[in-house]
Amino acid sequence: MYSFSDILKRPSLITSIKLANFNWFDNISSRNHVIAFFSFLLRFFTIEVLRIMGIKIIYTVHNKIPHDKKYLKLNALFMRYLLKRSDRIVIMCTETKNLIQKYLSENEMRVKIRFIPLPTYTGIYKEKLLHIKELPNNHKMHILFLGMVRKYKNIELILRLARDLSNMDIEFVIAGNTMEDYYKQEIEEKVKKLNSVTLILRFIKDDELYSF
């Protein structure tokens, strides 16, 4: 199994590939319009080259609409294109069929769609407690947010709750990496006024997850 970056580093690997599985490939996002457009073209070119080489395309549909809503029409156009060009389409909830059936025929739906629900990840991560130096060392009740820290996830609601419950014995922990420097600075500035919030804005390794 190879990642997209592996192929870019070693293009010769592509000759050994029989199928390509795309996750979040329909999410085109950038603060720069030119970069977003070229990203669209690159993804289109990638799919066409793979098909010419006889490599099967698997498209996993994660979201009804993209998290970054700046290029909704472009993302919707590319989603429709992926649905048509994919050999198989993985959906993780049955409601996704209602979205897809607008763009595919009944026969395409029958042949392409595969329902694979989201896993629970139970037993995936090693159950070993590690010392995470950034975690607060107290006996308060902890409320944890763990994952990518992005604007669409409404981290501000957690900060508002922390402010409203500031007189209670509760500690809020926000842990995860950030993609946008400007948003990271926004969150850090808002947390300065909150004594009950701990920020751990970095990538959380797999072996650390159990300790949170």
Side-chain angles (χ1 to χ4, degrees):
M1 184 172 66
Y2 305 112
S3 68
F4 195 61
S5 59
D6 291 333
I7 303 299
L8 292 177
K9 292 174 184 176
R10 293 176 56 196
S12 60
L13 290 174
I14 201 168
T15 58
S16 63
I17 294 175
K18 294 182 179 180
L19 62 88
N21 184 18
F22 290 94
N23 290 272
W24 295 288
F25 200 59
D26 52 2
N27 187 25
I28 299 170
S29 63
S30 174
R31 303 185 76 185
N32 185 295
H33 294 289
V34 176
I35 293 176
F37 180 68
F38 275 101
S39 177
F40 169 78
L41 292 180
L42 177 61
R43 295 172 194 222
F44 172 84
F45 178 75
T46 299
I47 296 298
E48 291 305 310
V49 168
L50 293 176
R51 287 186 61 86
I52 290 172
M53 295 184 67
I55 297 173
K56 300 296 183 182
I57 306 296
I58 299 175
Y59 169 36
T60 301
V61 182
H62 287 270
N63 303 307
K64 185 176 182 179
I65 59 175
H67 297 311
D68 190 334
K69 299 180 181 179
K70 190 173 183 178
Y71 304 104
L72 282 178
K73 291 184 179 179
L74 189 62
N75 279 295
L77 175 65
F78 192 62
M79 174 182 272
R80 289 197 294 270
Y81 163 77
L82 279 176
L83 290 171
K84 283 292 186 180
R85 301 299 277 168
S86 297
D87 296 284
R88 294 292 184 271
I89 300 166
V90 176
I91 62 173
M92 291 179 285
C93 69
T94 54
E95 291 182 5
T96 306
K97 285 185 177 181
N98 298 331
L99 169 67
I100 294 176
Q101 66 186 5
K102 295 187 294 185
Y103 309 117
L104 300 179
S105 66
E106 289 186 10
N107 185 59
E108 286 175 318
M109 291 284 292
R110 180 180 57 80
V111 172
K112 292 186 176 186
I113 301 298
R114 297 294 183 272
F115 172 53
I116 303 177
L118 278 169
T120 63
Y121 297 102
T122 301
I124 296 296
Y125 301 110
K126 188 181 297 185
E127 297 184 5
K128 181 181 178 181
L129 283 174
L130 302 175
H131 174 65
I132 309 296
K133 61 181 180 180
E134 302 102 321
L135 282 174
N137 185 19
N138 56 45
H139 298 288
K140 294 182 179 181
M141 172 184 175
H142 288 174
I143 296 178
L144 171 68
F145 169 89
L146 181 63
M148 287 292 295
V149 178
R150 299 193 64 186
K151 199 170 186 66
Y152 75 86
K153 294 190 177 182
N154 291 319
I155 303 298
E156 290 80 2
L157 293 179
I158 300 175
L159 302 183
R160 187 188 308 169
L161 182 63
R163 185 178 62 250
D164 294 343
L165 301 179
S166 59
N167 61 335
M168 300 183 68
D169 205 26
I170 298 175
E171 184 84 26
F172 293 82
V173 177
I174 298 173
N177 206 4
T178 56
M179 293 182 64
E180 303 96 353
D181 289 337
Y182 80 94
Y183 188 56
K184 178 180 179 180
Q185 293 171 4
E186 282 183 21
I187 296 298
E188 289 176 333
E189 191 62 31
K190 291 176 181 178
V191 168
K192 286 180 181 178
K193 304 173 183 177
L194 299 169
N195 296 323
S196 61
V197 178
T198 296
L199 285 180
I200 308 177
L201 299 182
R202 63 171 177 81
F203 177 73
I204 308 301
K205 299 176 182 178
D206 285 355
D207 61 354
E208 294 179 305
L209 289 173
Y210 184 75
S211 304
F212 279 83

